[in-house]
Amino acid sequence: MTMGLQGSLFGAAGETSLQPLSAVRRTPLTDGAWIDVLPGWLAGADTLFERLSEHVPWRAERRRMYDRVVDVPRLLSFYDEDDELPDPALNEAREALSRHYADELREPFRTAGLCLYRDGRDSVAWHGDTIGRGSREDTMVAILSIGAARSLALRPRGGGQAIRRALGPGDLIVMGGSCQRTWEHAIPKTGKPVGPRISIQFRPRGVR
Ligand SMILES: O=C(O)CCC(=O)C(=O)O
């Protein structure tokens, strides 16, 4: 699939490189949750976007909602821990994250979930990554965002003030601590004319 990028948003094509993760900034949330943010972690995000949008086997999914089956409003591709990642830049990103968070996470990031939001109508609803161990254990989910800027919204599960972080091309956000079970996150739809975005989520084994 080839998705057009707006020239004004993306720089000249080139190779990708990662900035040092020592520059990441942590924001504590409530109940032992936190987020780490590093804007512009990946340089050359436009190049990676072009490669992934073309070479990843994007899948459309359908989901039951009450008495109807509806299209999931984004395209998906999942790489389990033994699968070859679709681009060497993703191996580098996963290794860098595993190295940086080794002492705190005490296990490497293993899987990569990729989502393609084709435009502002694509979204993901409020949820925590609680299918696996995230429902009972502290863990981390690291998201590398490339393509058009979109907001990631977060809110405490029991109710409370939501926050938003705008994720631009190459930006990193890591949700850590109890974030998956005590907070929820979403990519809200937007009426603004936004281009396509790819989210790359790295997770440890058994977190989904
Ligand atoms: O698009 C994103 O960055 C968030 C993706 C997400 O929350 C998920 O797929 O579980």
Side-chain angles (χ1 to χ4, degrees):
M1 177 181 309
T2 310
M3 307 281 302
L5 297 178
Q6 286 178 7
S8 58
L9 284 178
F10 303 95
E15 280 314 307
T16 58
S17 63
L18 295 168
Q19 311 309 311
L21 279 166
S22 50
V24 82
R25 287 287 162 268
R26 180 159 301 185
T27 305
L29 305 174
T30 56
D31 299 314
W34 52 260
I35 50 171
D36 277 357
V37 175
L38 180 53
W41 179 42
L42 178 88
D46 52 341
T47 312
L48 181 60
F49 184 97
E50 293 293 355
R51 295 203 296 252
L52 294 183
S53 61
E54 206 161 321
H55 300 304
V56 167
W58 296 107
R59 256 182 322 100
E61 280 188 357
R62 290 172 65 74
R63 192 160 289 169
R64 176 162 289 283
M65 280 257 300
Y66 307 106
D67 56 345
R68 292 187 304 144
V69 177
V70 297
D71 290 332
V72 169
R74 56 181 184 160
L75 302 181
L76 304 156
S77 201
F78 181 74
Y79 294 84
D80 216 334
E81 58 180 292
D82 294 326
D83 296 336
E84 190 179 334
L85 293 178
D87 195 282
L90 270 52
N91 290 301
E92 284 168 33
R94 184 171 61 181
E95 279 161 26
L97 287 162
S98 294
R99 262 196 315 275
H100 181 77
Y101 288 103
D103 288 348
E104 205 173 1
L105 185 58
R106 310 189 84 76
E107 61 180 324
F109 290 92
R110 295 197 191 256
T111 66
L114 273 62
C115 306
L116 172 60
Y117 300 81
R118 292 155 290 189
D119 58 31
R121 289 168 296 187
D122 277 356
S123 63
V124 65
W126 289 111
H127 70 284
D129 295 357
T130 54
I131 293 174
R133 289 159 48 209
S135 64
R136 49 184 196 280
E137 291 171 16
D138 284 8
T139 190
M140 293 186 201
V141 176
I143 298 177
L144 170 60
S145 194
I146 59 176
R150 292 288 294 267
S151 284
L152 178 82
L154 295 121
R155 70 180 184 192
R157 222 171 244 282
Q161 187 65 45
I163 59 171
R164 278 185 181 231
R165 290 289 177 275
L167 297 179
D171 292 356
L172 171 73
I173 185 164
V174 181
M175 296 179 278
S178 67
C179 203
Q180 299 308 325
R181 60 180 196 281
T182 61
W183 282 63
E184 295 178 303
H185 55 278
I187 301 287
K189 293 185 192 301
T190 173
K192 292 186 191 141
V194 294
R197 163 182 182 258
I198 293 173
S199 160
I200 303 150
Q201 309 111 41
F202 296 105
R203 297 182 179 85
R205 178 180 290 156
V207 176
R208 207 55 203 273

